[in-house]
């Protein structure tokens, strides 16, 4: 059984980046600008935008609103590169509290019926 943090690294963070890159593109930023801002390569941005990387997870409206607000703040420069880690962590923490991580864990790994590894609001993956 994989630990929940592995689910975050392999699925949650790439999906957050993908959605953030898509929102920044919608706001008129170019892929090269997005790559510089997010400190990732331009090919990675292209893969996020084209759903070749960071896809397969559907975030709820609340999480998407957080990502859209973050993209807007980055575009308007009311958020900076220094805000990327804490804002990404804030989104990730919200994903954990809304049991999204637990659902991803169930979908991507073989979880025993009595699993309590995830950090969702009920701390139970069963």
């Amino acid at each position: 059984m994989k630990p929940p943090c592995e689910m975050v690294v392999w699925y949650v963070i790439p999906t957050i980046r993908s959605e953030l890159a898509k929102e920044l593109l919608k706001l008129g930023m170019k892929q090269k600008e997005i790559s510089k801002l997010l400190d990732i390569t331009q090919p990675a941005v292209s893969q996020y935008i084209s759903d070749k990387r960071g896809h397969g997870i559907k975030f709820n409206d609340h999480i998407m609103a957080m990502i859209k607000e973050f993209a807007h703040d980055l575009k308007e420069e009311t958020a900076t590169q220094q805000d990327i880690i804490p804002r990404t962590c804030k989104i990730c923490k919200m994903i954990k509290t809304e049991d999204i991580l637990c659902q991803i864990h169930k979908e991507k790994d073989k979880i025993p019926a009595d699993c309590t590894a995830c950090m969702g609001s009920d701390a139970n993956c069963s």
Side-chain angles (χ1 to χ4, degrees):
M1 181 171 86
K2 297 175 182 159
C5 51
E6 192 169 333
M7 299 295 115
V8 170
V9 170
W10 282 100
Y11 303 104
V12 176
I13 293 172
T15 305
I16 292 170
R17 283 183 173 166
S18 176
E19 295 298 338
L20 189 57
K22 290 173 190 175
E23 289 301 321
L24 290 166
L25 187 71
K26 286 179 192 175
L27 293 171
M29 291 186 76
K30 298 190 181 327
Q31 288 187 24
K32 189 172 183 173
E33 294 172 308
I34 296 167
S35 72
K36 185 176 178 181
L37 180 63
L38 299 182
D39 196 26
I40 56 178
T41 66
Q42 186 278 324
V45 172
S46 177
Q47 290 179 342
Y48 285 134
I49 290 168
S50 65
D51 286 333
K52 292 181 181 174
R53 184 190 290 195
H55 68 286
I57 298 174
K58 184 78 171 158
F59 291 143
N60 63 32
D61 292 342
H62 183 245
I63 299 298
M64 287 305 299
M66 291 177 74
I67 293 170
K68 288 178 183 182
E69 179 183 7
F70 185 25
H72 179 266
D73 291 349
L74 287 168
K75 169 72 170 140
E76 297 300 316
E77 298 181 353
T78 57
T80 67
Q81 277 188 314
Q82 291 179 332
D83 297 312
I84 291 174
I85 292 173
R87 294 277 294 261
T88 301
C89 288
K90 182 178 178 180
I91 293 166
C92 190
K93 286 177 186 175
M94 187 57 64
I95 288 167
K96 291 175 185 178
T97 63
E98 294 188 6
D99 294 327
I100 298 167
L101 180 60
C102 189
Q103 292 301 318
I104 294 166
H105 205 187
K106 285 181 189 178
E107 292 171 14
K108 306 293 184 183
D109 199 7
K110 295 179 182 179
I111 305 299
D114 60 348
C115 176
T116 58
C118 289
M119 297 155 212
S121 60
D122 66 0
N124 191 349
C125 279
S126 59

